[in-house]
Amino acid sequence: MESMLLTRRVLRCVPSLLMMLAATPVLAQAGPVERLEPVVVTASRSAQVVTDTLPHTTVITRAEIEASQVGDVISLLRLQPGIQIALNGGPGSVASVFMRGTNSTHTLLLIDGLRVNAVGSGAADWRQLMLDEVERIEIVRGNVSALYGSEAIGGVVQVFTRSGRGVPHAALQVQAGGGRTRGLSLNTGGEVGEEGGKTRVALTVSGRSSSGFSAIDANRVPNANPDIDGFRNQSSSMRITRQIGEHEIGLSTLSTRARLDLDDATDYSFFGPPYNGRTQTHVEHSSLDATTAHARLQLGEKWQSTLQVGATLNKGETTSSYPASFLVDRTSSRSRQLSWQNSFALATGHQLTAGVEHLSQDGEATAFATPFSRRVRSVMAGYLGQMSVHELQLALRRDQYTDFGAATTGLAAYGLRLGSDWKAIVQASSAFRAPSFNDLYYPFFGNPALQPERARSAELGLQYAHADTFARAALFRNRISDLIVFDPLIGIANNIAAARITGLELSGKTRAAAWDLSANLTLQRPLDLQTGQRLLRRAAHTLNLGAAREWANWRWAADVQRVGSRADSDVLTFARIPLNPYSVVNLRTSHAINKNLSLGFALQNAFAARYQLVDGFNTPGRVFLVTLNART
C-alpha cells in the first residue's frame, strides 16, 4: 500500500518534470568515451578485471539493463550463454533457471553477497527480482561450489542493488504497453564528501503490473480457468556506504511484494460435485526481504578483512475459491548468514583468501506438520596467482551440515596466456548439494531417504580479448552422482544413479563499423545415465544473436533467440512428451531527446511466435512497449 501511494505521488509530478527536462538542450560529447573493463568479485570472491577471471564470467551493466527495455531479471538471463529458462505462465510466474544443463536448484542466487535461494525449495525465487532495483549482474558459469557451497553446481548469479555514485541525481522511468503492462520507478542517490570520507546513498522504489493472458492453455486443460491472469509487484531498495579513511561500512536492503493470479491444472471432480474448474480462482501473495550489512577494514598494507551479516525472509500465501485445491498453502522461511573473509597480498600478483561462514535456515509451511531448520558451518581458503604468462586459481571449502554431516569441495583452474590477446584455460572442481526440505519432507511428494548430490566437473576454455572484442569457447563436462529429480509418474523426488552433462559454449561480442554485435551458442547433452534420456526441459542447443547501432540521437537494436526441442512431462498425464523448438525476435529503438530525457519503443516477440516453455502453459504473444526515462 505504501509503495502504491508513493507511485501515485510520483505520477502527479511527471508533467512538470518532463516540461523542465524537455527544455534542456542536447550536449555533444567531447571526444571518444574511454571503455574500461568491468571489475567483478563473484568469480573468485575477490576483485578482478573480468578478462582475468578463469571461470567464464559475464557482467550486465546498468547501461545494458536500461537499453534492454525489459522489466525483470529473468528476461535478461534467458539471452545469456549457457542459460535456459522455464516459466509456468507469464511475468511473475514460477521460473526455473538451468545453467549448463544442470537442475534449477543448481544455480545459486546472491544479492549483494547474500545467498537468497529459498529455504524450502532450494531454488531461487527469480520472479521477485525487478530490474529497477539492479545496478549490475555478474554471472559465473560452471561448478564453483568450492567458493559458495551448496547450490552452485551449475553456476552463480549475483545481483547488485543500485548504488549512489557521482553527483546527487534523480531518475524516473515510466513504461506502458500491450498485455496491460505498466511500470513506474524512481531512483535517487549520489555521493557527498571528499575521498576517504565519502558517503554514498541510493534509494529506488518501483511498481510493475501486467495481465495479458491466461497462464494455462484452457484448450489443453479443459478444467482450467480461461480467465486472464495478472501480476503486480512493488519493490524498493536502499544502499548506503560510508568511507572512513581506508575502511568502509555499508548497509543494503531489497524488499519486494507480489500478487499473482494462478491456474490449477488438477481435476478435482473425483471428490464429487459441485466442482467446476473453469470458475475456480487462485491468488498467490509473496514477498522477499533481504538485508545485509558489511564492514571492510584495511588492516595494514596487505591485509583486508570483511565482515558481513545478513538475513533473508521469504513469505508466500496461496488462496483459492476451491478450499481443497492442492495449491492452497502458506509458507515462511528465514535465512541468516554471517561471513568473515580475509584477503592477504602475499606479493605482487599473489593473493591468499581465507574465511568462515555460518548459515542458519528455518522455515514453516501449512503443508509441513512441524517447522524445519538447518545449520551450516563453513571454512574456506582460496589463492589467486599471476606469474608471467601463467594464471592460477585454487579454492578449498569444508561445509558441516547439521543434517548431512561434512563435505569437502575443491576447485583448481589454470590459465596460460598465448600472446597479448589469447588465453587457454583448464579447470576442475567438485561439488556437494544437500537435499532441500521440499525434496525431503513435502507431504506425499518428499522422500526422507534422499542422499546428497555430488558432482565432479571439468572444463577446457579458450579466450580472446582485444579492445572492444571479447570471445570465449568452453568445452565442459559435469558428472552428478545421486542427482535429485522429481518423478511425476509416482509423484516423489528420487536420486538417479548418475547424470552426465557435456557441452560446448561459444560466446562473443565486438564493435564493428558503429555496430555492437553479440552472439552465443550452447550445444549440450544433459543425460540421465540410468535411462539414457535427456533431462527434462533442457534443449540440445540454444542460439542468441544481438545487434545494436547508434545513429544521431537514436539507438536501434534487435535480438534473436533460437531454442531447440526439449522433453517435458505432459501437464495432464505426466507422460514424457516433446516441446517444439522455437524462435523469438525482439526489436527496440530509443531516442535521446536531450541529455536528460529519452523515449524508447520495444516490440517483444515481434513475429508473434507461439511456443511453450512448460507443457500446457502459455507464453506472451507480440507485446509493444513505450518507455520514458527522465533524469536530473
Side-chain angles (χ1 to χ4, degrees):
M1 180 62 70
E2 293 178 359
S3 297
M4 295 305 294
L5 289 174
L6 180 57
T7 55
R8 290 171 186 165
R9 293 170 185 165
V10 172
L11 279 174
R12 295 192 189 105
C13 303
V14 170
S16 58
L17 178 62
L18 295 183
M19 290 178 65
M20 178 186 71
L21 295 176
T24 305
V26 178
L27 298 182
Q29 291 184 349
V33 177
E34 182 182 2
R35 297 195 174 191
L36 301 177
E37 289 189 76
V39 174
V40 299
V41 296
T42 312
S44 63
R45 301 182 67 121
S46 299
Q48 293 177 283
V49 174
V50 68
T51 53
D52 286 344
T53 61
L54 295 179
H56 187 189
T57 304
T58 299
V59 181
I60 304 175
T61 65
R62 182 63 205 174
E64 293 169 327
I65 290 171
E66 293 182 357
S68 71
Q69 299 187 46
V70 296
D72 56 0
V73 169
I74 205 73
S75 297
L76 282 184
L77 292 182
R78 67 186 300 171
L79 298 175
Q80 299 301 311
I83 295 180
Q84 295 178 41
I85 68 165
L87 276 171
N88 288 28
S93 59
V94 174
S96 299
V97 173
F98 306 107
M99 292 187 70
R100 288 190 171 178
T102 60
N103 284 353
S104 60
T105 52
H106 296 163
T107 300
L108 176 64
L109 172 62
L110 304 174
I111 298 179
D112 294 333
L114 187 67
R115 57 192 309 136
V116 294
N117 283 40
V119 172
S121 67
D125 191 0
W126 301 98
R127 57 191 172 165
Q128 297 284 355
L129 296 179
M130 300 297 109
L131 289 167
D132 305 295
E133 283 70 32
V134 177
E135 181 72 24
R136 76 179 191 277
I137 303 171
E138 296 180 6
I139 304 169
V140 180
R141 296 163 186 81
N143 180 0
V144 288
S145 289
L147 295 173
Y148 296 101
S150 192
E151 288 98 37
I153 297 176
V156 175
V157 177
Q158 180 155 202
V159 171
F160 294 89
T161 54
R162 300 286 288 271
S163 61
R165 294 184 178 273
V167 297
H169 62 276
L172 174 71
Q173 183 184 87
V174 182
Q175 188 175 68
R180 299 181 183 177
T181 300
R182 303 290 185 271
L184 175 66
S185 70
L186 175 65
N187 168 258
T188 182
E191 58 186 25
V192 295
E194 301 297 328
E195 191 65 37
K198 285 185 179 180
T199 299
R200 296 189 178 100
V201 180
L203 173 65
T204 306
V205 293
S206 68
R208 290 191 170 271
S209 64
S210 65
S211 54
F213 55 90
S214 175
I216 289 185
D217 183 355
N219 295 321
R220 282 283 321 278
V221 187
N223 56 290
N225 193 331
D227 66 336
I228 292 177
D229 295 313
F231 169 68
R232 293 203 305 264
N233 177 281
Q234 294 88 43
S235 300
S236 63
S237 68
M238 185 273 293
R239 177 187 279 192
I240 179 170
T241 59
R242 170 70 176 175
Q243 291 181 342
I244 306 173
E246 295 181 322
H247 314 302
E248 179 186 276
I249 57 175
L251 173 71
S252 67
T253 66
L254 174 67
S255 179
T256 73
R257 301 290 182 270
R259 181 192 187 277
L260 176 68
D261 296 329
L262 300 174
D263 287 334
D264 190 352
T266 308
D267 185 357
Y268 298 94
S269 58
F270 57 85
F271 285 155
Y275 171 76
N276 182 4
R278 297 184 71 83
T279 65
Q280 306 303 330
T281 58
H282 299 74
V283 176
E284 180 187 31
H285 292 272
S286 59
S287 65
L288 169 65
D289 295 286
T291 303
T292 181
H294 75 271
R296 185 174 297 115
L297 309 176
Q298 193 67 41
L299 305 177
E301 182 181 351
K302 298 183 178 182
W303 179 14
Q304 185 181 87
S305 183
T306 302
L307 180 67
Q308 183 178 39
V309 58
T312 60
L313 176 63
N314 293 77
K315 287 187 176 182
E317 181 179 11
T318 302
T319 59
S320 173
S321 60
Y322 183 63
S325 171
F326 290 146
L327 299 183
V328 173
D329 195 12
R330 179 185 292 120
T331 63
S332 177
S333 62
R334 183 185 298 273
S335 179
R336 300 176 180 87
Q337 180 179 319
L338 172 66
S339 66
W340 180 36
Q341 180 173 305
N342 295 272
S343 298
F344 306 92
L346 304 178
T348 302
H350 300 268
Q351 178 177 293
L352 179 66
T353 301
V356 295
E357 286 184 352
H358 179 78
L359 178 66
S360 299
Q361 297 179 320
D362 300 277
E364 58 184 359
T366 53
F368 288 78
T370 59
F372 46 82
S373 65
R374 173 181 289 162
R375 304 290 181 265
V376 187
R377 297 189 302 274
S378 308
V379 295
M380 65 196 113
Y383 167 78
L384 285 176
Q386 290 189 355
M387 301 151 283
S388 181
V389 296
H390 308 286
E391 299 177 6
L392 184 64
Q393 179 176 347
L394 303 173
L396 188 66
R397 184 182 180 98
R398 176 80 168 178
D399 295 303
Q400 182 72 45
Y401 291 78
T402 53
D403 51 352
F404 282 99
T408 301
T409 53
L411 178 148
Y414 169 72
L416 175 64
R417 291 195 175 273
L418 308 172
S420 59
D421 301 329
W422 292 89
K423 179 165 63 175
I425 300 166
V426 59
Q427 179 176 311
S429 55
S430 60
F432 173 96
R433 176 186 172 268
S436 71
F437 294 108
N438 285 1
D439 291 336
L440 292 165
Y441 306 120
Y442 200 90
F444 306 110
F445 304 109
N447 181 358
L450 287 174
Q451 296 299 309
E453 299 171 318
R454 299 179 184 272
R456 293 190 177 276
S457 309
E459 179 178 340
L460 293 174
L462 184 63
Q463 176 180 296
Y464 175 83
H466 179 79
D468 292 324
T469 300
F470 179 86
R472 177 141 176 171
L475 187 65
F476 59 88
R477 183 182 187 275
N478 199 342
R479 184 182 176 93
I480 306 174
S481 302
D482 292 321
L483 179 71
I484 298 173
V485 297
F486 179 76
D487 189 336
L489 293 178
I490 61 176
I492 295 178
N494 274 321
N495 292 112
I496 64 175
R500 184 182 66 228
I501 305 168
T502 55
L504 174 65
E505 188 178 86
L506 304 172
S507 62
K509 60 180 181 179
T510 189
R511 184 172 179 84
W515 285 91
D516 291 317
L517 305 174
S518 64
N520 63 76
L521 171 67
T522 303
L523 306 173
Q524 60 183 18
R525 295 189 66 201
L527 295 180
D528 176 345
L529 294 181
Q530 187 172 346
T531 63
Q533 294 179 318
R534 193 190 310 163
L535 299 176
L536 295 181
R537 298 179 182 172
R538 273 147 277 196
H541 70 270
T542 59
L543 173 66
N544 296 291
L545 303 173
R549 190 183 194 280
E550 293 186 4
W551 180 72
N553 294 322
W554 288 86
R555 179 176 176 84
W556 306 85
D559 58 68
V560 181
Q561 181 178 51
R562 174 68 178 178
V563 178
S565 62
R566 294 90 63 221
D568 200 2
S569 298
D570 187 284
V571 66
L572 295 177
T573 67
F574 306 119
R576 187 182 180 95
I577 62 170
L579 292 180
N580 292 328
Y582 66 91
S583 300
V584 173
V585 177
N586 301 311
L587 307 174
R588 57 191 179 275
T589 184
S590 60
H591 175 56
I593 299 172
N594 55 47
K595 70 183 182 71
N596 299 117
L597 196 63
S598 65
L599 193 61
F601 305 93
L603 192 59
Q604 298 176 352
N605 192 6
F607 298 103
R610 296 179 61 86
Y611 64 99
Q612 289 186 324
L613 299 174
V614 176
D615 182 61
F617 287 82
N618 291 317
T619 52
R622 183 188 296 112
V623 176
F624 178 71
L625 297 174
V626 179
T627 305
L628 179 68
N629 287 292
R631 300 175 177 84
T632 60

